[in-house]
């Protein structure tokens, strides 16, 4: 005989099973690498309660859940939802390895990167979006979790379009088009939080101007 609390959990899970099945079926229609736009958290499993997500991990849905965390991040950028971006990262911070940064030139890979807070990452995104208020995110290759049982890395080839039309960090806009792209891999833990990012990318005109300003 189940206890009252256990019975409540079972009933609750039963109520969510159709939702989980529907979301899984929706994603199975199109392979993740073929996704061209970020998926909203309301349209995937990451929008469900934590208990349901943990069950999803146990049921072998870990790779899909990790892909959807990365979709949630890019959707936050696409919709300029800074709290949503911050929520994607581990509360203690994430290691950022920006391979293309001028400051990292000639630096060994294992020495590239630093631990930064989710709030810091959110603020950097805010500054970038302030400079490019019409920025839109698209994918050449949508977020896809690597193969293998213990491969928790999610890969994405993204690009951004828009215009350098906003003043950010004291840099006046010049109206130039935003045409940047990059390939990023995200390490997503079992808590479904991003723990590490490795970025290879091009720079926007605003970022180049900011680098020049900060180097003086």
């Amino acid at each position: 005989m189940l206890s009252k609390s256990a019975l409540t959990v079972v009933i609750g899970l039963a109520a969510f099973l159709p939702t989980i099945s529907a979301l899984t079926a929706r994603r199975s229609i199109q392979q993740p690498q073929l996704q061209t736009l970020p998926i909203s958290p309301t349209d995937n499993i990451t929008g469900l309660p934590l208990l349901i997500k943990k069950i999803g991990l146990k049921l072998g849905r870990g790779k899909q859940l990790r892909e959807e965390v990365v979709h949630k991040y890019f959707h936050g950028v696409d919709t300029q939802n800074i709290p949503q971006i911050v929520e994607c990262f581990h509360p203690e911070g994430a290691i950022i390895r920006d391979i293309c940064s001028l400051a990292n030139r000639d630096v060994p890979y294992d020495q590239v990167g630093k631990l930064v807070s989710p709030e810091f990452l959110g603020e950097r995104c805010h500054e970038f979006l302030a400079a490019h208020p019409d920025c839109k995110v698209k994918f050449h290759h949508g977020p896809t979790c690597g193969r293998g049982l213990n491969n928790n890395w999610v890969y994405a080839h993204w690009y951004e379009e828009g215009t350098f039309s906003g003043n950010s960090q004291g840099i006046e806009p010049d109206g130039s088009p935003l045409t940047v792209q990059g390939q990023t891999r995200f390490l997503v833990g079992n808590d479904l939080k991003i723990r590490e990012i490795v970025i290879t990318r091009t720079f926007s005109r605003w970022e180049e101007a900011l680098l020049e300003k900060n180097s003086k």
Side-chain angles (χ1 to χ4, degrees):
M1 176 71 86
L2 291 173
S3 66
K4 184 175 181 180
S5 59
L7 184 60
T8 301
V9 171
V10 171
I11 293 173
L13 291 177
F16 277 109
L17 283 176
T19 303
I20 295 175
S21 299
L23 291 173
T24 301
R26 186 183 306 172
R27 284 295 307 278
S28 65
I29 294 173
Q30 186 175 33
Q31 293 299 314
Q33 66 270 21
L34 300 181
Q35 298 285 348
T36 58
L37 297 172
I39 299 173
S40 168
T42 60
D43 292 329
N44 60 43
I45 297 176
T46 56
L48 297 177
L50 179 60
L51 175 61
I52 305 301
K53 290 184 285 189
K54 287 184 175 179
I55 292 172
L57 286 170
K58 295 293 185 181
L59 293 178
R61 296 293 180 187
K63 292 189 180 299
Q64 178 183 340
L65 284 166
R66 289 181 171 86
E67 291 167 359
E68 292 178 349
V69 170
V70 175
H71 268 287
K72 180 178 178 179
Y73 164 77
F74 280 115
H75 181 267
V77 176
D78 192 60
T79 58
Q80 304 195 25
N81 187 335
I82 304 303
Q84 180 174 307
I85 294 171
V86 170
E87 190 179 64
C88 294
F89 294 92
H90 191 273
E92 296 179 2
I95 297 174
I96 308 300
R97 303 184 192 275
D98 192 342
I99 304 302
C100 296
S101 172
L102 296 177
N104 291 329
R105 183 172 293 173
D106 301 323
V107 177
Y109 173 79
D110 59 356
Q111 297 178 27
V112 173
K114 58 183 178 180
L115 181 69
V116 296
S117 70
E119 291 74 23
F120 174 88
L121 292 166
E123 183 58 30
R124 296 294 80 78
C125 286
H126 175 73
E127 292 170 357
F128 180 87
L129 293 169
H132 312 94
D134 58 348
C135 173
K136 301 304 294 181
V137 181
K138 298 179 182 179
F139 298 125
H140 289 302
H141 188 105
T144 307
C145 195
R147 297 180 180 180
L149 183 62
N150 296 313
N151 190 337
N152 296 335
W153 286 95
V154 178
Y155 307 80
H157 184 182
W158 52 268
Y159 63 102
E160 293 171 329
E161 297 178 332
T163 312
F164 178 16
S165 56
N167 186 311
S168 181
Q169 292 293 294
I171 300 174
E172 291 294 330
D174 62 9
S176 59
L178 172 66
T179 55
V180 298
Q181 65 173 307
Q183 297 190 60
T184 306
R185 55 188 177 102
F186 302 78
L187 180 61
V188 183
N190 287 335
D191 55 0
L192 300 179
K193 298 293 183 181
I194 298 171
R195 301 293 189 112
E196 185 174 344
I197 295 180
V198 181
I199 312 168
T200 305
R201 66 192 177 100
T202 59
F203 290 88
S204 70
R205 178 68 191 93
W206 173 79
E207 288 172 305
E208 291 172 347
L210 183 62
L211 286 170
E212 183 179 348
K213 174 184 176 182
N214 292 337
S215 65
K216 293 180 179 178

